Amino acid sequence: EGREDLQVNQLETQIWIKPEIQKTDVDFSEILNAIQEIAKDVNIFFDELEGVNSPSKDDDSLLHHGNLTSTSDDASRLEVVGEEVPDKNKTNGLYFRDGKCRIDYILVYRKSNPQTEKREVFERNIRAEGLQMEKESSLTNSDIIFVKLHAPWEVLGKYAELMNVRMPFRRKIYYLHRRYKFMNRIEKQISRFRGWLPRKPMKLDKETLPDLEENDCYTAPFSQQRIHHFIIHNKDTFFNNATRSRIVHHILQRLKYEEGKNKIGLNRLLSNGSYEAAFPLHEGSYRSKNSIKTHGAENHRHLLYECWASWGVWYKYQPLDLVRRYFGEKIGLYFAWLGWYTGMLFPAAFIGLFVFLYGVTTLNHCQVSKEVCQATDIIMCPICDKYCPFMRLSDSCIYAKVTHLFDNGATVFFAVFMAVWATVFLEFWKRRRAVIAYDWDLIDWEEEEEEIRPQFEAKYSKKERMNPISGKPEPYQAFADKCSRLIVSASGIFFMICVVIAAVFGIVIYRVVTVSTFAAFKWALIRNNSQVATTGTAVCINFCIIMLLNVVTSETLIIFFTEQPRTESEWENSFTLKMFLFQFVNLNSSTFYIAFFLGRFTGHPGAYLRLINRWRLEECHPSGCLIDLCMQMGIIMVLKQTWNNFMELGYPLIQNWWTRRKLRQEYGTQGKTSFPQWEKDYNLQPMNAYGLFDEYLEMILQFGFTTIFVAAFPLAPLLALLNNIIEIRLDAYKFVTQWRRPLASRAKDIGIWYGILEGIGILSVITNAFVIAVTSDFIPRLVYAYKYGPCAGQGEAGQKCMVGYVNASLSVFLVSDFENRSEPTSNGSEFSGSPLKYCRYRDYRDPPHSPVPYGYTLQFWHVLAARLAFIIVFEHLVFCIKNLISYLIPDLPKDLRDRMRREKYLIQEMMYEAELERLQKERKERKKNGKSYHNEWP
């Protein structure tokens, strides 16, 4: 009987019509087709007949130095008579020997490897799945064998349907929203004004970019039964190269290589050394003798190099659609996020630069810096034991002016702005991601059920339980074992963080010891600037320790301390979180010390607090601790970004240069150009084992550095912007020219990194509140202006209200009260001709002759209360603004929501009309042929 199956998806209605089954008692064709479908899903193991009839994959007699040896089916190698194959296809290294079958995937192994039997079984199963194969020995090393794989149309269609690969089937119909006359007039005026302006220089030339058909067409999951619905101009190019490689990789991941339920997949063969490498090919060379403007791009790799990876286009937008088509959605999303982050840094960098320039313009009008520079009669107490001399307050005039550049009236505004900016950045990224997901057909894409990690299987193969999704038994980790491993993992990470804190403690001891050493130095330049020299050298040593801990301990120990998750994505999330936590603490621990602990717990002259009852804790400069924090952030940020950029590009460049140098020595200058594409790609560097982890980690740490202490260093967004403009092109150059082509993989978003960004945004509000309240002098100045200054009780806080602030912020100390080990070698007679009786220090304490000598004054408690109040008010205000912005900005743009609804409606109509048209044509053909059937669909 005729049957009608209706399957409704979220975006489309698929109407499948099965042909009428002839009325017979037994339909042998149906039974035969079912048996064939079952047989296709069963892998072939140790088939003796096939082993006799087909040659062995490791048979040296079939391999010739530089000659192709085909092991594909004879039928697939027969060329159609009269069909000409371009010679270019046979020589460019992208096709089989016949010049027709495009190479979709490359496997590499060594003949000397003992895993021969596993490879033979694996390659027999490859042919059983319908893939075609050719083998060739390397031109540079006869021990290296390249296995070239090609997926015919039948295999691509079958697995594209199983993997729900969305393909174009109808051109998009664009429509305009109905607008009011007033809006139309405004748009006309805007367009007229734009006509006077120069053309947008950042846009790419549309003539050089290919017409990416997927973006202008409605797409639907591929189906062989509905193949007439899809736009197929050429079956060889219908599936692009990235999709073909992804399908072949999907097949290879599900083929067995040995007896046993867990002996399956290409990844296991790579891990046990059966194969040395596996990768898809680049689409030819990225360079060309001809100009792309006159002759066009030779391939997509050449186009990406000219329009994306070249330094000449640093100011242009990225061709994200082309990046996605060549490298896949996961890498495309990374560059989309990086570009969005870089674009959002422009307003932050502009406002930060404005705050800095505001400090420059108001420098001459700052009452505090004027008083510091004019305080020639105020003598400050030594900042270290014995060797540090007494000093005039006016000697720190330069540092007071530099401090004003970063700590001025606009600092609080900038801190609030950056907290709001972080929220706006994340909220608008969600909207941007939604648009990208719609354009790239990721809205309804769901990750398929992941395979179990081999390490998990090996560890827990004895215990099994039923998988609720697949209904198959799988290894199971007991709850008690999971908890114990979690405790061990947390303890290991805690131990590593303690190692970082110990390193910071070492830096603190270095600063305490070195400041006295520099104070007794022979060179006057260092002796007079001992504290700055101490801070600068400590920051450089701290940077070296940071990089050393990153290289030596981070990845190895974190992998060791990471628990055994079930799937690869769970392991990546666990590894990412632990690695980020360690790197974040390693990078920012010393910055936290300078911001919140330096000079806070030193005691006072005559009663200094000491480290291990030996070393006197370091004090802040007479102009404050903010200058130390600025130096720490500026030096670390510049050095780390420079080092990362060198390692990202310099390391693969040096390795590839060394490989090319050896090839030139052996084969001359013309040898490298005559190598086939698989040989060239094999000589490139593989993508790192953690994928995009290093790229994301670098940018996320930079985001934290840009937001967490931005109140102390407003130029951080500007430095980040300049670095990211270079970073985009460096990463693009690395992906296009220095790395093997990574496998195209899909992803809907940036994963766990988004949650980490949200956490950094929350932490930045808290830290900036403490930086303004504790580290800077904003609150003490405010309290003095409203309570103790000339304008007290008048409600004013201008520069005239700050007269006398410096004197009010300094306490008096009797020199005779110094401890023996703290007493300076000089008596200060060089200032007044007689030994000093009193010196000043930064604090709010009573004079030595008061009833309670050196006790806290009332002003100290007022300042402390104001600081606590500011922290509470600032945090609540900024968090309210952040939550309000998050509520007001929808995750999905309204126009995108309307487009999605309209597309759903149009797809349903198109599918229904196309199916109805096909059935009507079939009925007309039956009538012409004189055939009639019952139960016809109308």
Side-chain angles (χ1 to χ4, degrees):
E1 297 288 338
R3 188 176 67 177
E4 172 183 332
D5 292 340
L6 186 62
Q7 183 178 8
V8 181
N9 288 345
Q10 185 176 359
L11 288 180
E12 64 181 6
T13 302
Q14 304 174 357
I15 305 175
W16 292 5
I17 308 297
K18 291 192 174 182
E20 294 82 356
I21 302 174
Q22 294 184 0
K23 297 180 181 180
T24 58
D25 294 336
V26 179
D27 195 337
F28 293 98
S29 63
E30 287 282 332
I31 298 174
L32 182 60
N33 290 336
I35 293 173
Q36 290 176 350
E37 289 296 323
I38 294 173
K40 288 181 180 179
D41 295 334
V42 179
N43 291 322
I44 301 174
F45 303 98
F46 304 100
D47 192 345
E48 296 181 359
L49 292 176
E50 185 172 355
V52 173
N53 296 330
S54 62
S56 173
K57 297 294 158 296
D58 292 340
D59 190 356
D60 293 343
S61 62
L62 293 176
L63 298 174
H64 301 281
H65 190 72
N67 293 332
L68 297 173
T69 304
S70 174
T71 59
S72 56
D73 297 335
D74 294 338
S76 65
R77 295 200 304 266
L78 294 177
E79 297 184 2
V80 180
V81 178
E83 183 178 352
E84 296 183 359
V85 179
D87 294 336
K88 184 178 179 180
N89 289 357
K90 298 182 179 180
T91 59
N92 60 9
L94 299 177
Y95 291 83
F96 276 17
R97 188 178 183 180
D98 57 7
K100 296 179 181 179
C101 300
R102 188 176 187 89
I103 300 173
D104 298 322
Y105 211 79
I106 292 290
L107 301 177
V108 185
Y109 69 89
R110 292 182 180 270
K111 290 192 293 183
S112 58
N113 189 282
Q115 307 283 351
T116 304
E117 188 176 355
K118 294 179 181 179
R119 285 197 302 271
E120 289 181 357
V121 176
F122 188 71
E123 291 173 6
R124 282 204 296 269
N125 288 326
I126 288 176
R127 295 196 307 277
E129 286 292 330
L131 296 178
Q132 298 176 14
M133 198 179 347
E134 280 187 352
K135 297 174 65 178
E136 182 173 351
S137 61
S138 172
L139 295 175
T140 59
N141 188 350
S142 59
D143 188 45
I144 298 176
I145 306 299
F146 295 97
V147 180
K148 299 171 286 184
L149 302 178
H150 167 75
W153 169 259
E154 294 77 13
V155 177
L156 292 173
K158 171 186 173 182
Y159 280 94
E161 185 171 357
L162 292 175
M163 297 168 61
N164 289 323
V165 177
R166 300 183 69 90
M167 301 303 295
F169 74 94
R170 187 68 64 89
R171 287 279 181 182
K172 285 185 178 179
I173 302 174
Y174 295 98
Y175 68 99
L176 298 176
H177 293 282
R178 183 178 179 181
R179 300 183 181 273
Y180 296 101
K181 293 182 178 180
F182 177 72
M183 296 299 296
N184 288 332
R185 292 175 183 173
I186 293 178
E187 288 187 355
K188 287 181 181 179
Q189 296 297 329
I190 293 175
S191 61
R192 184 179 301 176
F193 175 73
R194 286 178 178 174
W196 300 337
L197 299 176
R199 295 182 179 180
K200 295 182 179 179
M202 293 184 293
K203 281 194 173 183
L204 291 167
D205 187 7
K206 294 183 178 180
E207 295 180 358
T208 60
L209 292 176
D211 181 20
L212 302 180
E213 194 172 61
E214 308 95 279
N215 296 336
D216 295 328
C217 297
Y218 295 117
T219 60
F222 182 77
S223 173
Q224 291 181 324
Q225 292 185 1
R226 298 179 291 113
I227 195 171
H228 53 279
H229 292 169
F230 295 92
I231 303 174
I232 304 178
H233 302 300
N234 186 350
K235 288 186 177 182
D236 294 334
T237 59
F238 179 64
F239 297 103
N240 60 46
N241 295 331
T243 304
R244 296 173 67 100
S245 300
R246 185 156 55 92
I247 292 174
V248 173
H249 182 78
H250 177 87
I251 297 172
L252 298 180
Q253 288 294 90
R254 285 152 180 80
L255 294 180
K256 289 192 173 184
Y257 59 86
E258 201 174 48
E259 287 284 3
K261 59 182 178 181
N262 298 328
K263 308 297 184 180
I264 184 173
L266 175 63
N267 285 346
R268 289 179 174 85
L269 290 176
L270 290 171
S271 61
N272 63 27
S274 299
Y275 287 101
E276 189 173 294
F279 53 89
L281 286 180
H282 278 295
E283 297 181 7
S285 175
Y286 63 89
R287 294 185 181 274
S288 176
K289 298 180 180 179
N290 302 319
S291 173
I292 190 174
K293 295 181 179 180
T294 58
H295 293 76
E298 294 190 357
N299 50 66
H300 284 164
R301 189 187 185 193
H302 178 216
L303 182 62
L304 279 173
Y305 177 77
E306 294 290 341
C307 298
W308 183 47
S310 176
W311 291 106
V313 294
W314 64 268
Y315 59 92
K316 290 185 177 294
Y317 294 130
Q318 299 182 86
L320 293 178
D321 291 331
L322 191 60
V323 174
R324 171 243 181 172
R325 179 167 183 167
Y326 194 83
F327 292 109
E329 287 79 2
K330 194 170 186 177
I331 294 176
L333 270 174
Y334 163 72
F335 282 102
W337 176 84
L338 181 57
W340 182 257
Y341 171 46
T342 304
M344 289 293 291
L345 279 174
F346 274 96
F350 175 77
I351 300 297
L353 184 61
F354 170 79
V355 171
F356 179 78
L357 294 178
Y358 173 80
V360 173
T361 55
T362 60
L363 183 60
N364 295 328
H365 305 285
C366 179
Q367 181 63 31
V368 176
S369 60
K370 282 182 180 179
E371 291 186 1
V372 171
C373 294
Q374 296 171 2
T376 56
D377 56 339
I378 297 179
I379 308 301
M380 302 297 294
C381 297
I383 59 175
C384 67
D385 291 339
K386 292 187 178 182
Y387 298 108
C388 291
F390 295 98
M391 59 179 294
R392 287 188 175 93
L393 181 60
S394 58
D395 292 342
S396 61
C397 176
I398 296 177
Y399 303 111
K401 291 182 178 180
V402 172
T403 301
H404 176 75
L405 299 180
F406 302 101
D407 185 12
N408 51 62
T411 303
V412 178
F413 159 75
F414 186 60
V416 175
F417 170 81
M418 287 303 296
V420 174
W421 173 87
T423 302
V424 172
F425 162 66
L426 294 177
E427 292 299 321
F428 275 94
W429 163 248
K430 286 194 289 187
R431 294 166 62 87
R432 173 63 176 161
R433 187 206 63 82
V435 174
I436 292 175
Y438 169 78
D439 291 337
W440 292 356
D441 289 323
L442 299 172
I443 293 292
D444 294 322
W445 177 78
E446 295 293 340
E447 293 189 39
E448 59 187 12
E449 179 68 13
E450 288 190 86
E451 295 180 357
I452 300 175
R453 298 180 67 238
Q455 297 87 341
F456 185 86
E457 287 180 342
K459 183 73 176 178
Y460 304 103
S461 58
K462 296 180 180 179
K463 295 183 179 180
E464 291 186 346
R465 72 173 182 180
M466 197 68 65
N467 188 315
I469 299 175
S470 63
K472 298 178 181 179
E474 66 178 18
Y476 166 68
Q477 183 181 13
F479 179 76
D481 184 77
K482 185 181 296 185
C483 291
S484 62
R485 284 191 166 272
L486 188 61
I487 294 173
V488 172
S489 175
S491 302
I493 299 301
F494 178 74
F495 168 76
M496 296 179 65
I497 292 176
C498 290
V499 172
V500 175
I501 295 175
V504 175
F505 185 75
I507 294 294
V508 172
I509 295 177
Y510 169 83
R511 294 173 68 104
V512 170
V513 173
T514 310
V515 68
S516 300
T517 305
F518 283 156
F521 213 73
K522 295 181 180 180
W523 295 348
L525 179 63
I526 296 179
R527 185 173 62 250
N528 297 333
N529 300 277
S530 59
Q531 198 164 16
V532 176
T534 300
T535 302
T537 55
V539 172
C540 294
I541 294 174
N542 183 31
F543 171 75
C544 296
I545 293 176
I546 288 172
M547 304 311 298
L548 183 64
L549 288 175
N550 287 346
V551 173
V552 174
T553 63
S554 59
E555 292 185 1
T556 305
L557 288 181
I558 286 179
I559 292 174
F560 176 76
F561 286 125
T562 300
E563 61 270 13
Q564 287 284 355
R566 174 178 168 273
T567 62
E568 197 67 29
S569 63
E570 293 175 359
W571 184 89
E572 287 180 0
N573 290 340
S574 178
F575 172 77
T576 298
L577 187 60
K578 292 177 177 60
M579 189 71 173
F580 167 77
L581 184 61
F582 173 80
Q583 295 266 18
F584 181 81
V585 174
N586 187 27
L587 181 64
N588 295 287
S589 54
S590 57
T591 310
F592 270 90
Y593 163 75
I594 294 175
F596 305 128
F597 297 98
L598 179 62
R600 300 289 177 269
F601 309 101
T602 58
H604 63 86
Y608 286 116
L609 298 178
R610 296 184 179 273
L611 197 64
I612 321 178
N613 198 25
R614 181 178 179 182
W615 294 297
R616 170 183 162 184
L617 291 176
E618 186 182 6
E619 290 187 37
C620 290
H621 197 273
S623 298
C625 293
L626 201 67
I627 187 68
D628 296 273
L629 184 59
C630 291
M631 289 182 62
Q632 172 80 14
M633 292 189 62
I635 295 175
I636 290 291
M637 195 169 186
V638 172
L639 288 180
K640 193 170 191 310
Q641 292 183 158
T642 304
W643 175 260
N644 287 338
N645 290 335
F646 171 76
M647 290 302 296
E648 282 188 6
L649 186 62
Y651 182 70
L653 270 175
I654 292 173
Q655 285 189 317
N656 291 333
W657 170 82
W658 183 256
T659 303
R660 291 194 301 269
R661 182 175 178 273
K662 292 193 298 183
L663 293 177
R664 282 196 299 267
Q665 290 177 350
E666 295 180 10
Y667 299 96
T669 56
Q670 300 297 327
K672 183 71 169 62
T673 57
S674 61
F675 287 161
Q677 189 63 42
W678 56 82
E679 190 99 22
K680 296 177 182 178
D681 288 4
Y682 177 71
N683 290 327
L684 296 177
Q685 297 302 309
M687 189 175 178
N688 56 63
Y690 306 109
L692 294 170
F693 171 80
D694 290 335
E695 278 71 22
Y696 272 117
L697 179 64
E698 179 187 354
M699 290 295 103
I700 300 300
L701 290 176
Q702 183 206 81
F703 177 81
F705 226 67
T706 304
T707 55
I708 291 178
F709 295 103
V710 73
F713 191 58
L715 294 180
L718 180 62
L719 294 179
L721 174 63
L722 297 177
N723 174 79
N724 287 6
I725 292 175
I726 300 174
E727 180 74 21
I728 291 176
R729 305 304 163 181
L730 278 180
D731 285 346
Y733 184 84
K734 178 176 60 179
F735 272 93
V736 174
T737 67
Q738 302 301 312
W739 277 1
R740 296 173 190 165
R741 185 177 183 177
L743 180 70
S745 56
R746 310 199 81 189
K748 294 182 67 173
D749 48 34
I750 61 176
I752 194 176
W753 295 110
Y754 185 84
I756 294 175
L757 287 171
E758 286 186 326
I760 292 176
I762 295 173
L763 180 62
S764 66
V765 177
I766 301 173
T767 54
N768 282 304
F770 275 88
V771 167
I772 296 172
V774 177
T775 310
S776 73
D777 289 337
F778 175 78
I779 298 300
R781 293 175 185 177
L782 210 61
V783 171
Y784 177 81
Y786 283 102
K787 183 66 177 176
Y788 298 95
C791 306
Q794 300 179 13
E796 297 181 10
Q799 290 297 326
K800 64 179 182 179
C801 301
M802 298 303 298
V803 176
Y805 167 77
V806 173
N807 186 60
S809 63
L810 297 177
S811 299
V812 180
F813 177 72
L814 186 63
V815 174
S816 60
D817 291 341
F818 266 123
E819 301 172 301
N820 292 331
R821 52 182 173 177
S822 297
E823 188 174 357
T825 55
S826 64
N827 57 7
S829 59
E830 65 270 16
F831 296 104
S832 60
S834 60
L836 287 175
K837 292 183 179 180
Y838 300 97
C839 63
R840 310 292 294 272
Y841 61 99
R842 283 174 55 93
D843 209 341
Y844 298 99
R845 291 182 182 270
D846 292 324
H849 302 295
S850 61
V852 182
Y854 308 116
Y856 286 117
T857 62
L858 183 62
Q859 187 176 357
F860 169 82
W861 299 109
H862 284 166
V863 171
L864 180 60
R867 282 173 168 169
L868 296 177
F870 175 83
I871 291 172
I872 295 173
V873 172
F874 181 88
E875 288 181 356
H876 283 70
L877 176 64
V878 174
F879 278 131
C880 288
I881 296 175
K882 288 169 65 71
N883 292 331
L884 180 63
I885 292 175
S886 300
Y887 174 77
L888 294 178
I889 300 178
D891 295 344
L892 203 64
K894 185 179 182 302
D895 59 338
L896 178 61
R897 187 182 296 110
D898 295 340
R899 285 162 58 192
M900 290 171 59
R901 292 175 179 173
R902 179 168 178 80
E903 179 172 331
K904 178 181 178 181
Y905 168 77
L906 290 176
I907 287 177
Q908 291 176 349
E909 292 293 323
M910 291 175 187
M911 299 294 290
Y912 177 81
E913 291 175 0
E915 195 67 30
L916 183 61
E917 181 180 356
R918 184 182 68 85
L919 293 174
Q920 288 176 348
K921 288 182 180 179
E922 290 182 358
R923 189 171 65 174
K924 289 180 181 179
E925 291 179 358
R926 295 193 197 103
K927 288 183 178 180
K928 288 181 180 179
N929 297 331
K931 298 180 180 180
S932 61
Y933 293 93
H934 299 288
N935 301 324
E936 289 185 351
W937 200 53

